[in-house]
Amino acid sequence: MSATGPHRLRKSQQVSTNVGVVIVDDDNAIVVFNDMAEHMSGHARDDVMGRHSSTVLPMEIQTPLSQSGEKATQPLRGGLHTLSITRRDGTCFNAELEVSSLQMQGRRLHVITLRDVSPAEGHVLGDGICATIVHETDRGILVLDGQSRIMHANPAFGTLCGYSEDEVAGNDFSILFSGHGRDIRTLQQFRQQVGEGNSFEIDIQARRRDGTNIWLRAAATPVHDDHGALEQTIIILSDVSRDRDLRYLQQDVVEALASGLSLREVMDFICRRIERIVPDVQALVMMTEDGQVMHPIGRASLPKAVVAQYDGARIGPAAGSCGTAIHRHEEVIVPDIATSPLWAGLADVPLDHGLRACWARPIILRDGQVAGAFTLFSPTPGHPSTWCRRVVGACVHLCMLAIVQEHARQSIDRLAHYDGLTGLPNRAWLRHYCTQARQHSLARVIMVLNLDRFQKINEAMGHAAGDTLLMEVARRLRHALLPDDILTRTDGDEFVIVTETAPQQAAVQAERLLRILDAPL
């Protein structure tokens, strides 16, 4: 098969039979402007009638005054010209202009015909140029005949799929398919869209010669002969396996977020998946609540000793890759842990486990707060690849979504189980606490405290004063109770205290609390 086979993917030169006509008088004013001239130039007839011809026509066909005297008797250059014409919207097209003159009722007129020749230029490539492009591109290219049989395959196709041109020549295009159940539907879609005659893209799960599967994106262009019959289909193939891996990762994490998994389970899942699709890396997700110290929240295969080194580590300008990224609010790439000043005093543990490089990106929430960092360790010194950085960018976004969801879950839980005014646990929390199994048999004593005449205070002084009273009562009770005692607000003016003590001691404690509340507010 000739190496120049793909040159047939050329648009045949087509010359439009539609001609624009512009007629100007001896003063260069436009007197005729036909429909095709309107279409070509984008100018409306009413806007150009009577105006100077340079409004529409290029200056190159104008006759300079120095050649024609003070009064131009031949305002336009006669003959055939190929020039660029600027449309009303600022775009350009190549036109063939023919200028001729005629006498009509004592007037001298100049007739300009315009023919758009831009489609015929720049679209037809020589056979040698086409062959070079097809041979040198890094995209796989197949040329199919009218029956979808492979006529030509370029070298990049061999690199992509492992087949030589001789091995696939004459076979139906479907030889590339992997044998998956979806292949029939994909093949039907391919043939239907080829039949419709428009360019299209379709993803194909293909099988390489070595038996491995690969996802290919096929950009197909049907080519027809002068009679409209399908002559060829040109297919440009690119490997999108990684794109699909990343898409599946994102879909699976979103499903995990919707399934009710805990934040730690989601973060562990993200770390496991990134280690599957990015070779030779180990992932770690760190979180911080106060911007001062950090704690691990997700890991996969990273050694426990390395994770333990981070647990409770302080954040700062030289706190390894992760702590420094949180401190700086920006990505930190350390190509060699052994020589980096950011790892001074911290490098021994990762180096002992064969980890040489570390890259970290902060997890920044929508309000600008830095919630943690996504970190990758590598056994090979160097910078992360473009693919690695792309995946990390996606995972950082997923981590952000997981943290935002966890914050929302905590907020909802707090609204459901804590009093919004005093911050104390509410009746629902107390009910759940009382139904939990206990590990010891100490007696629990429950004290219920109500505020007398609370409603009259609300009526006389307003609810703001009532709220102030409730918050002060809660503050006094907190300070008076033991650390293991539980204080809740279960109703408007009702507080419940749970303490693990003997009933006689609880009675003494109750008297003490009443004396504390006797102090005026």
Side-chain angles (χ1 to χ4, degrees), residues 168-195:
V168 297
N171 285 283
D172 189 86
F173 174 64
S174 60
I175 190 178
L176 301 181
F177 286 49
S178 66
H180 193 276
R182 66 170 63 88
D183 287 353
I184 295 298
R185 184 168 65 254
T186 304
L187 187 59
Q188 288 173 340
Q189 292 174 354
F190 176 81
R191 298 200 190 285
Q192 176 184 350
Q193 295 193 65
V194 168

Side-chain angles (χ1 to χ4, degrees), residues 467-488:
D467 290 345
T468 301
L469 174 62
L470 291 172
M471 288 188 289
E472 174 62 17
V473 170
R475 186 190 68 78
R476 294 186 187 184
L477 292 175
R478 280 197 198 96
H479 284 84
L481 294 174
L482 298 175
D484 292 336
D485 293 341
I486 296 171
L487 174 64
T488 67

Side-chain angles (χ1 to χ4, degrees), residues 406-464:
E406 179 64 19
H407 288 175
R409 182 184 299 157
Q410 292 174 355
S411 178
I412 293 171
D413 181 72
R414 185 163 190 84
L415 289 173
H417 294 93
Y418 289 85
D419 174 38
L421 178 64
T422 63
L424 297 175
N426 61 13
R427 183 183 298 274
W429 185 96
L430 181 61
R431 183 183 298 112
H432 176 71
Y433 169 78
C434 291
T435 58
Q436 285 182 316
R438 304 174 64 199
Q439 297 180 349
H440 51 78
S441 58
L442 290 177
R444 279 195 299 210
V445 176
I446 294 179
M447 294 183 279
V448 181
L449 184 148
N450 295 92
L451 301 180
D452 293 341
R453 297 179 298 281
F454 177 72
Q455 185 60 34
K456 293 187 179 300
I457 294 175
N458 275 337
E459 292 172 356
M461 303 181 66
H463 287 278

Side-chain angles (χ1 to χ4, degrees), residues 219-503:
T221 303
V223 181
H224 299 82
D225 60 20
D226 295 337
H227 304 289
L230 178 65
E231 186 178 12
Q232 296 174 341
T233 303
I234 311 301
I235 300 176
I236 302 176
L237 300 168
S238 54
D239 183 357
V240 293
S241 301
R242 284 182 165 182
D243 292 337
R244 294 185 75 92
D245 285 341
L246 184 55
R247 190 188 314 163
Y248 289 147
L249 165 64
Q250 294 168 321
Q251 291 174 352
D252 291 345
V253 172
V254 171
E255 289 181 9
L257 291 174
S259 67
L261 294 177
S262 69
L263 179 62
R264 183 174 296 276
E265 290 172 323
V266 172
M267 295 302 192
D268 286 345
F269 177 77
I270 293 174
C271 291
R272 289 195 301 271
R273 288 298 298 271
I274 196 173
E275 290 183 10
R276 274 181 49 190
I277 64 178
V278 179
D280 299 326
V281 298
Q282 295 177 357
L284 174 66
V285 181
M286 301 296 297
M287 281 193 65
T288 178
E289 295 291 341
D290 57 3
Q292 303 297 319
V293 297
M294 52 188 173
H295 301 279
I297 191 66
R299 63 178 282 267
S301 63
L302 193 68
K304 290 183 179 179
V306 179
V307 179
Q309 183 185 35
Y310 271 113
D311 197 359
R314 296 200 65 80
I315 295 165
S321 303
C322 184
T324 306
I326 296 174
H327 175 76
R328 294 181 180 176
H329 294 205
E330 63 182 25
E331 182 181 42
V332 172
I333 298 176
V334 176
D336 192 347
I337 292 174
T339 60
S340 172
L342 301 182
W343 281 86
L346 303 172
D348 291 344
V349 175
L351 292 176
D352 289 344
H353 288 82
L355 303 173
R356 297 295 306 275
C358 185
W359 320 307
R361 284 188 62 174
I363 302 171
I364 302 176
L365 305 183
R366 293 188 178 97
D367 61 1
Q369 175 188 355
V370 178
F374 191 90
T375 307
L376 290 182
F377 289 86
S378 172
T380 305
H383 290 75
S385 65
T386 302
W387 166 242
C388 178
R389 297 186 70 174
R390 181 181 172 193
V391 174
V392 169
C395 288
V396 166
H397 179 71
L398 294 171
C399 290
M400 183 271 289
L401 294 178
I403 293 171
V404 169
Q405 184 189 61
E406 179 64 19
H407 288 175
R409 182 184 299 157
Q410 292 174 355
S411 178
I412 293 171
D413 181 72
R414 185 163 190 84
L415 289 173
H417 294 93
Y418 289 85
D419 174 38
L421 178 64
T422 63
L424 297 175
N426 61 13
R427 183 183 298 274
W429 185 96
L430 181 61
R431 183 183 298 112
H432 176 71
Y433 169 78
C434 291
T435 58
Q436 285 182 316
R438 304 174 64 199
Q439 297 180 349
H440 51 78
S441 58
L442 290 177
R444 279 195 299 210
V445 176
I446 294 179
M447 294 183 279
V448 181
L449 184 148
N450 295 92
L451 301 180
D452 293 341
R453 297 179 298 281
F454 177 72
Q455 185 60 34
K456 293 187 179 300
I457 294 175
N458 275 337
E459 292 172 356
M461 303 181 66
H463 287 278
D467 290 345
T468 301
L469 174 62
L470 291 172
M471 288 188 289
E472 174 62 17
V473 170
R475 186 190 68 78
R476 294 186 187 184
L477 292 175
R478 280 197 198 96
H479 284 84
L481 294 174
L482 298 175
D484 292 336
D485 293 341
I486 296 171
L487 174 64
T488 67
R489 181 190 174 205
T490 55
D491 207 344
D493 66 332
E494 180 180 270
F495 294 84
V496 174
I497 301 164
V498 181
T499 180
E500 293 184 346
T501 185

